[in-house]
């Protein structure tokens, strides 16, 4: 592993990134859902709905949601997998996981297991899950290649990986608006609502440092997946990558 | 054309969901296709579709860098013929379709696709809202009826677009 890595636009020691990201999410955990709604104008719910629609999870399936945070995806997966299936909501951050636990309890969703874990070291046997998902989490992982290799390992043959993540728009017009919004407006809203401008500055920077659609696609294939396809959402501001293990 | 490709990608999600629903409900059996990958290339249009079959589900992709076990090349019109029950062997004899790979596997998939009865409007509306879904389905039906005899894909798109513009007005 390299000695340094990026944390937003800053270069930091690789060993420090995890704790820096943890600080960000500790700070925003309680306002996470509200901020997502405000900053994306509610679009994150559509992106997640599209992800669920693409998952083809069925009754009896085993699903792992990594960086699952407040549990939006896990709730839907639980409904699809049913009582005979298994859904695990995981996150590296205890504060986010607690928010997820509270959210699911408040919504009357039971039967979801909670595991605090690091995506680079998944504590599961080979060929365990029918579906692994990670929504808006991969860009915060220090060693993405290792995490993808782990995801491949724990998927059953015939299983699929879903990566929902901010990406790169190829529309120059949209890019200008989006850049202005994310660097000038988002941190201010973050300061007002979550009392944390810096974390939302990091959000904007981390999105720009994340691999674009094609690069991520080849990272997924390099991790061992037999097929990978991505679908751009909202003009490429977000992309859903789907990796298939045959 | 790019918009058309984006629209097509979304349709592969709908097709995938429909096929998997049939499998879950036990209405079709795909065990004979387990491990097979089949690609359909619709000539002159950016409308490739690839089927990745496992023992209990099908993945439908619009793009793949990998070679599939079977590759079927055909025009959009012939693809519609196939879905409406036209015999694959007959189309092969008439040179309207070319298959690289195992014809039997292609036939199995075509049989599976014939079972698909998509409620396109209901499924599309989840992503686009009812009004747009209704318009799209109307256009698709129009496309099926008016252009099924045409072998020119550009003519099909032209007709489709002009219908769209007329209906929008």
């Amino acid at each position: 592993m390299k000695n340094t890595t990026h944390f937003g636009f800053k270069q930091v020691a690789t060993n420090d990134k995890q704790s820096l990201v943890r600080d960000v999410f500790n700070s925003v955990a309680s306002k996470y859902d509200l901020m997502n709604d405000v900053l994306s104008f509610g679009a994150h719910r559509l992106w997640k709905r599209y992800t669920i629609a693409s998952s083809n999870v069925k009754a009896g399936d085993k699903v792992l949601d990594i960086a699952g945070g407040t549990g939006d995806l896990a709730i839907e997966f639980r409904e699809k997998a049913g009582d005979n299936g298994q859904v695990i909501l995981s996150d590296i951050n205890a504060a986010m996981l607690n928010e997820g636990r509270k959210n699911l309890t408040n919504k009357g969703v039971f039967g979801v297991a909670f595991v605090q874990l690091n995506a680079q070291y998944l504590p599961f046997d080979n060929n365990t899950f029918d579906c692994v998902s990670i929504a808006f989490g991969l860009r915060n992982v220090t060693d993405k290649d290792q995490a993808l290799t782990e995801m491949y390992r724990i998927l059953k043959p015939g299983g699929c990986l879903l990566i929902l993540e901010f990406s790169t728009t190829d529309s120059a017009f949209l890019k200008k608006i989006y850049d202005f919004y994310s660097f000038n407006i988002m941190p201010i809203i973050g300061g007002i609502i979550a009392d944390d401008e810096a974390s939302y500055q990091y959000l904007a920077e981390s999105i720009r440092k994340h691999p674009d659609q094609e690069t991520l696609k080849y990272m997924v294939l390099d991790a061992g997946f037999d097929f990978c396809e991505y679908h751009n959402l909202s003009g490429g501001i977000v992309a859903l990558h789907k990796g298939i293990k045959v | 054309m790019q918009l058309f490709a984006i629209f097509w990608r979304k349709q592969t999600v709908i097709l995938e969901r429909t096929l998997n629903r049939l499998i879950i409900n036990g209405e079709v059996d795909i065990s004979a296709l387990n491990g097979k990958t089949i690609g359909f290339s619709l000539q002159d249009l950016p409308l490739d579709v690839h089927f990745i079959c496992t023992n209990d589900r099908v993945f439908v992709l619009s793009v793949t860098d990998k070679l599939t076990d079977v590759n079927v090349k055909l025009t959009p019109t012939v693809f519609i013929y196939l879905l409406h029950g036209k015999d694959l062997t007959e189309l092969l004899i008439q040179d309207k379709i070319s298959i690289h790979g195992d014809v039997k596997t292609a036939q199995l998939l075509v049989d599976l696709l014939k079972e698909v009865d998509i409620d396109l409007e209901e499924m599309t509306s989840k992503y686009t809202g009812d009004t747009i879904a209704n318009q799209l389905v109307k256009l698709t039906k129009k496309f099926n009826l008016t252009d099924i005899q045409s072998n020119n894909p550009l003519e099909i798109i032209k007709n489709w677009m002009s219908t769209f513009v007329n209906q929008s007005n």
Side-chain angles (χ1 to χ4, degrees):
Chain A
M1 202 195 292
K2 288 179 200 163
N3 292 330
T4 62
T5 187
H6 55 82
F7 174 73
F9 290 160
K10 290 184 203 127
Q11 204 66 16
V12 297
T14 302
N15 291 336
D16 292 344
K17 177 165 175 173
Q18 196 176 311
S19 63
L20 289 166
V21 172
R22 186 177 56 225
D23 291 345
V24 167
F25 283 92
N26 279 343
S27 166
V28 302
S30 62
K31 296 276 171 52
Y32 189 77
D33 276 343
L34 174 65
M35 286 301 292
N36 280 348
D37 278 331
V38 172
L39 294 177
S40 74
F41 306 104
H44 77 104
R45 294 181 187 276
L46 294 174
W47 300 330
K48 285 171 183 166
R49 194 186 293 181
Y50 189 79
T51 305
I52 295 290
S54 301
S55 72
N56 283 309
V57 166
K58 61 182 190 315
D61 278 357
K62 286 188 173 183
V63 184
L64 172 66
D65 185 25
I66 300 173
T70 50
D72 295 359
L73 291 183
I75 291 170
E76 300 293 330
F77 283 138
R78 171 72 181 86
E79 198 182 324
K80 283 180 170 285
D83 291 338
N84 295 326
Q86 184 184 22
V87 177
I88 297 175
L89 169 56
S90 70
D91 205 296
I92 193 170
N93 187 293
M96 290 298 292
L97 209 53
N98 280 335
E99 286 299 319
R101 198 191 303 265
K102 266 194 256 172
N103 192 27
L104 265 64
T105 306
N106 288 341
K107 287 180 176 160
V109 178
F110 299 99
V112 171
F114 298 86
V115 178
Q116 187 177 0
L117 54 74
N118 183 336
Q120 293 169 211
Y121 311 98
L122 297 173
F124 303 104
D125 289 338
N126 296 350
N127 309 323
T128 300
F129 293 95
D130 298 285
C131 178
V132 172
S133 65
I134 178 166
F136 305 112
L138 189 64
R139 71 178 189 286
N140 298 313
V141 175
T142 308
D143 189 339
K144 295 174 184 60
D145 292 320
Q146 188 182 334
L148 291 170
T149 305
E150 277 288 272
M151 293 171 202
Y152 177 80
R153 180 184 65 76
I154 63 164
L155 268 172
K156 289 177 188 170
C160 80
L161 165 68
L162 297 164
I163 304 169
L164 182 66
E165 189 53 272
F166 291 106
S167 204
T168 308
T169 175
D170 55 6
S171 156
F173 176 68
L174 190 57
K175 190 177 181 312
K176 264 189 185 168
I177 296 172
Y178 182 49
D179 279 347
F180 179 80
Y181 174 71
S182 44
F183 286 109
N184 298 286
I185 312 286
M186 255 170 38
I188 293 172
I189 297 175
I192 294 167
I193 297 178
D195 195 23
D196 184 355
E197 200 167 314
S199 291
Y200 287 90
Q201 179 70 29
Y202 162 74
L203 171 69
E205 292 177 5
S206 66
I207 291 168
R208 301 314 186 280
K209 296 298 286 185
H210 188 66
D212 65 17
Q213 289 90 330
E214 280 293 307
T215 308
L216 181 56
K217 176 181 157 182
Y218 285 102
M219 285 168 70
V220 170
L221 291 171
D222 287 346
F225 286 88
D226 298 279
F227 295 92
C228 180
E229 180 181 60
Y230 62 82
H231 289 197
N232 282 336
L233 305 171
S234 301
I237 287 174
V238 165
L240 174 67
H241 283 71
K242 187 169 183 173
I244 298 164
K245 178 176 179 178
V246 178
Chain B
M1 197 61 101
Q2 201 186 0
L3 271 176
F4 201 73
I6 291 167
F7 175 71
W8 179 245
R9 280 194 176 195
K10 302 287 183 274
Q11 299 320 299
T12 61
V13 175
I14 294 171
L15 181 59
E16 183 180 279
R17 283 190 67 183
T18 310
L19 285 170
N20 284 303
R21 197 171 290 170
L22 289 172
I23 295 164
I24 291 166
N25 294 341
E27 292 169 47
V28 293
D29 177 15
I30 60 155
S31 51
L33 287 168
N34 186 9
K36 302 284 185 193
T37 56
I38 303 133
F40 279 79
S41 303
L42 300 193
Q43 289 162 5
D44 307 320
L45 285 175
L47 300 184
D48 286 9
V49 58
H50 308 274
F51 297 85
I52 321 297
C53 305
T54 68
N55 61 334
D56 64 352
R57 77 186 78 203
V58 177
F59 296 99
V60 184
L61 308 181
S62 55
V63 183
T64 175
D65 298 327
K66 276 203 168 180
L67 283 176
T68 45
D69 298 328
V70 185
N71 192 264
V72 183
K73 280 190 179 162
L74 69 179
T75 63
T77 323
V78 174
F79 188 55
I80 294 167
Y81 276 145
L82 266 180
L83 297 184
H84 282 83
K86 194 99 175 169
D87 185 48
L88 180 73
T89 322
E90 198 183 312
L91 291 167
L92 264 173
I93 293 166
Q94 291 170 3
D95 255 353
K96 289 192 170 168
I97 192 165
S98 86
I99 297 179
H100 295 274
D102 183 18
V103 177
K104 221 176 179 181
T105 305
Q107 180 67 65
L108 283 169
L109 182 70
V110 168
D111 291 343
L112 177 63
L113 291 175
K114 283 176 190 166
E115 296 294 321
V116 178
D117 181 20
I118 303 178
D119 186 349
L120 202 59
E121 188 167 337
E122 189 262 331
M123 297 187 89
T124 311
S125 67
K126 288 181 183 169
Y127 306 103
T128 62
D130 290 343
T131 315
I132 296 174
N134 180 264
Q135 291 295 315
L136 284 171
V137 172
K138 265 190 195 167
L139 287 170
T140 310
K141 282 178 182 164
K142 202 145 200 160
F143 162 76
N144 283 340
L145 292 171
T146 57
D147 296 317
I148 198 144
Q149 298 304 326
S150 169
N151 276 316
N152 183 348
L154 289 175
E155 197 61 32
I156 291 171
I157 292 177
K158 212 173 81 185
N159 291 342
W160 212 29
M161 290 300 181
S162 65
T163 313
F164 181 74
V165 171
N166 288 338
Q167 293 211 349
S168 303
N169 293 334

